[in-house]
Amino acid sequence: MSAPALSPAARLRGLKPDWISDPKVWRTEVLGGLVVALALIPEAISFSIIAGVDPEVGLFAAFTMAVTISIVGGRRAMISAATGAVALVIAPLNREHGLGHLVAAVILAGVFQVVLGALGVARLMRFVPRSVMVGFVNALAVLIFMAQVPEITDVPWPVYPLVGAGLVLMVFFPRVTRVVPAPLVSIVVLTVITVAAGIAVPTVGDKGELPHTLPVPGLPDVPFTLDTLTTVAPYALAMALVGLMESLMTAKLVDDITDTPSNKTRESIGQGIANIVTGLFGGMGGCAMIGQTMINVKVSGARTRLSTFLAGSFLMVLCIVFGPVVSDIPMAALVAVMVMVSFTTFDWHSVAPGTLRRMPAGEILVMVVTVAVVVATSNLAVGVVVGSVTAMVIFARRVAHLADVTSVTDPDGGQVVYSVTGELFFASSNDLVTRFDYADDPDHVVIDLSATHVWDASSVAALDAIETKYAQRGKRVEIVGLNEHSTVLRERLGGTLTGDH
């Protein structure tokens, strides 16, 4: 008996996410988006200053990136907006050629990201080891904290008790209730105190003027020539790679925190679409924001696209409608929020004495290198690349020593059988040629490779060299036990890798 057909209304209900009818989830998402929006404003302005553009350029980017990625992105609840890494990449272009070229680079970077995403660049995340991921998280926490240091240096003394009060509120308020996010309570309370008491401390308004209107779409003001393309392309490619690296690493981090999967390919393409949209609205571009994502996911408990969409929407509402009120928010309140984010983001278990005693030295080195490079360069993408390369080198050295050769000679002395165990690749096969007794072995030599795997041309060349050395002494070599992949590789490359054939 076939199942009854669903009515159009029932089918529509089936397409709606479960959270749409859950008031508790709505409250969490709305309040999470509001906290993120408040935290985005000073950072977007700061990144605009780094890039050398007006504050509204960074704020427009935060708005369009968040709203667009909430629809086309592959990781729910992740926040994308203008970022420091992107600002550092494109600042020289703006300085030398102006805002038009910067916007053109943002659009082209988006195109590059769409292409890279379609080509499967997200699959490269498989090669990022856990030790690099831990280093990435810890370096992120250090960078978030370091970014707050200028806000508490050479400032009026009331800033310090305000920051302390904000931290105390965020630690103890959740014990009273979790209905309202503690960071939002901290921001509101500290703002009311400073305004009511007339306390003179740095505020959001001191960072720059907030926009009064919505951004208007348009094409960048540049000549559409080959010369313009060659000028912006290198910056666009660098921005695309840095943005994808940070976004994919952040998506992986959120996956681990929420125990839910994300579509990395969709996220890569979505980042490109978001940057294209942002460029068309005159924004400075961006990528996933790790600090704000941690506020949204870890502190506020948001889990859906709604919080991301509202973060961008609230940002513009706060700037345009409530600009004077937002301008009065003390920076101390936002510093307290980001310090708490830094503390909760750091993986304290990874540096516990018990963990360090059990951890292999190579893993610890990779984690330390990742953190050190990120902190030194203030670039998470560079740290991840250097950390991953370090991990690969350590892995190659470790595996290279696993290849072993043992020999057994027949009692009658007619032949010798060499057994090779371990993986044969460029690092381990270099020593293979030296492990045979070419002068004293009998005329028949058997090399058993049933306990190994031939991975690359270097290993095939090593086997050719062994055969050649025995042949020069009039001895015959028989190689046995090759698996299917190794056999195919040797048949294709054997005898073709030197000029002697």
Side-chain angles (χ1 to χ4, degrees):
M1 182 177 176
S2 60
L6 294 175
S7 67
R11 285 198 298 270
L12 183 60
R13 285 195 298 272
L15 291 174
K16 294 193 298 185
D18 296 337
W19 54 263
I20 282 184
S21 57
D22 190 337
K24 183 178 178 181
V25 174
W26 266 90
R27 183 177 62 243
T28 300
E29 301 298 309
V30 170
L31 293 177
L34 180 57
V35 175
V36 170
L38 290 169
L40 277 173
I41 293 172
E43 293 222 354
I45 296 173
S46 298
F47 298 146
S48 299
I49 295 170
I50 292 173
V53 298
D54 291 336
E56 66 176 19
V57 176
L59 290 165
F60 287 159
F63 163 59
T64 52
M65 286 291 298
V67 169
T68 306
I69 204 68
S70 70
I71 300 168
V72 300
R75 172 65 261 176
R76 296 190 300 275
M78 192 165 77
I79 305 297
S80 291
T83 60
V86 169
L88 288 169
V89 169
I90 59 177
L93 178 63
N94 180 66
R95 191 165 52 245
E96 296 172 15
H97 299 279
L99 180 61
H101 282 73
L102 181 150
V103 172
V106 170
I107 296 172
L108 184 57
V111 174
F112 283 150
Q113 287 177 328
V114 170
V115 173
L116 290 170
L119 292 176
V121 70
R123 288 194 291 269
L124 294 176
M125 290 301 296
R126 294 179 298 174
F127 298 101
V128 178
R130 182 184 179 280
S131 52
V132 172
M133 190 68 192
V134 173
F136 169 83
V137 171
N138 290 344
L140 159 67
V142 173
L143 285 185
I144 292 175
F145 181 81
M146 289 175 60
Q148 310 315 308
V149 173
E151 304 297 339
I152 54 176
T153 305
D154 297 326
V155 293
W157 69 265
V159 168
Y160 302 106
L162 285 172
V163 172
L167 291 172
V168 169
L169 272 170
M170 284 184 284
V171 170
F172 291 102
F173 186 79
R175 300 184 184 184
V176 178
T177 179
R178 292 183 178 273
V179 172
V180 181
L184 180 58
V185 174
S186 178
I187 292 170
V188 171
V189 169
L190 295 187
T191 302
V192 170
I193 290 173
T194 55
V195 172
I199 302 174
V201 291
T203 64
V204 170
D206 296 331
K207 288 288 184 180
E209 186 179 356
L210 302 181
H212 303 292
T213 60
L214 288 171
V216 178
L219 294 175
D221 183 19
V222 294
F224 291 88
T225 62
L226 183 60
D227 183 58
T228 300
L229 179 62
T230 55
T231 300
V232 303
Y235 294 95
L237 181 59
M239 176 185 161
L241 295 174
V242 168
L244 283 179
M245 177 71 74
E246 291 211 19
S247 300
L248 293 175
M249 289 294 289
T250 305
K252 191 172 187 298
L253 178 60
V254 178
D255 291 352
D256 294 339
I257 292 172
T258 62
D259 289 327
T260 57
S262 60
N263 187 330
K264 304 297 191 303
T265 297
R266 176 176 173 178
E267 181 61 36
S268 302
I269 296 172
Q271 287 291 328
I273 295 172
N275 272 306
I276 292 171
V277 172
T278 296
L280 291 175
F281 277 91
M284 59 181 278
C287 61
M289 291 194 78
I290 305 162
Q292 274 64 22
T293 297
M294 290 300 99
I295 293 175
N296 196 44
V297 174
K298 204 166 186 178
V299 179
S300 300
R303 292 293 183 271
T304 77
R305 298 178 185 275
L306 180 62
S307 58
T308 307
F309 178 85
L310 290 177
S313 302
F314 282 153
L315 173 66
M316 280 293 100
V317 173
L318 289 170
C319 290
I320 297 172
V321 181
F322 300 102
V325 176
V326 173
S327 295
D328 287 335
I329 294 175
M331 285 302 299
L334 299 174
V335 168
V337 171
M338 298 311 293
V339 168
M340 181 60 72
V341 170
S342 171
F343 183 84
T344 57
T345 299
F346 196 92
D347 187 350
W348 296 101
H349 177 72
S350 68
V351 296
T355 303
L356 295 176
R357 280 196 299 270
R358 293 189 298 269
M359 191 77 69
E363 301 280 314
I364 297 174
L365 176 63
V366 170
M367 182 177 68
V368 171
V369 166
T370 303
V371 173
V373 172
V374 169
V375 172
T377 63
S378 297
N379 192 318
L380 291 161
V382 172
V384 169
V385 171
V386 173
S388 298
V389 171
T390 303
M392 291 176 187
V393 170
I394 292 173
F395 174 77
R397 285 177 58 85
R398 185 184 304 154
V399 175
H401 297 297
L402 298 180
D404 194 23
V405 179
T406 57
S407 63
V408 177
T409 304
D410 284 354
D412 60 3
Q415 73 172 17
V416 60
V417 178
Y418 285 93
S419 295
V420 181
T421 58
E423 304 300 308
L424 292 183
F425 66 112
F426 62 89
S428 60
S429 60
N430 287 334
D431 295 333
L432 189 66
V433 181
T434 65
R435 306 292 294 276
F436 297 84
D437 189 354
Y438 302 102
D440 297 329
D441 278 343
D443 292 340
H444 185 206
V445 178
V446 178
I447 301 177
D448 184 3
L449 300 179
S450 56
T452 189
H453 186 100
V454 178
W455 285 102
D456 57 9
S458 298
S459 303
V460 175
L463 294 175
D464 286 350
I466 293 168
E467 286 186 312
T468 299
K469 287 180 179 294
Y470 276 117
Q472 290 171 347
R473 293 166 174 80
K475 301 176 182 181
R476 182 171 66 89
V477 176
E478 181 183 1
I479 296 177
V480 299
L482 286 169
N483 59 35
E484 182 179 356
H485 176 274
S486 302
T487 300
V488 171
L489 186 65
R490 187 161 189 267
E491 287 177 350
R492 187 169 73 244
L493 298 179
T496 66
L497 298 174
T498 66
D500 299 331
H501 300 277

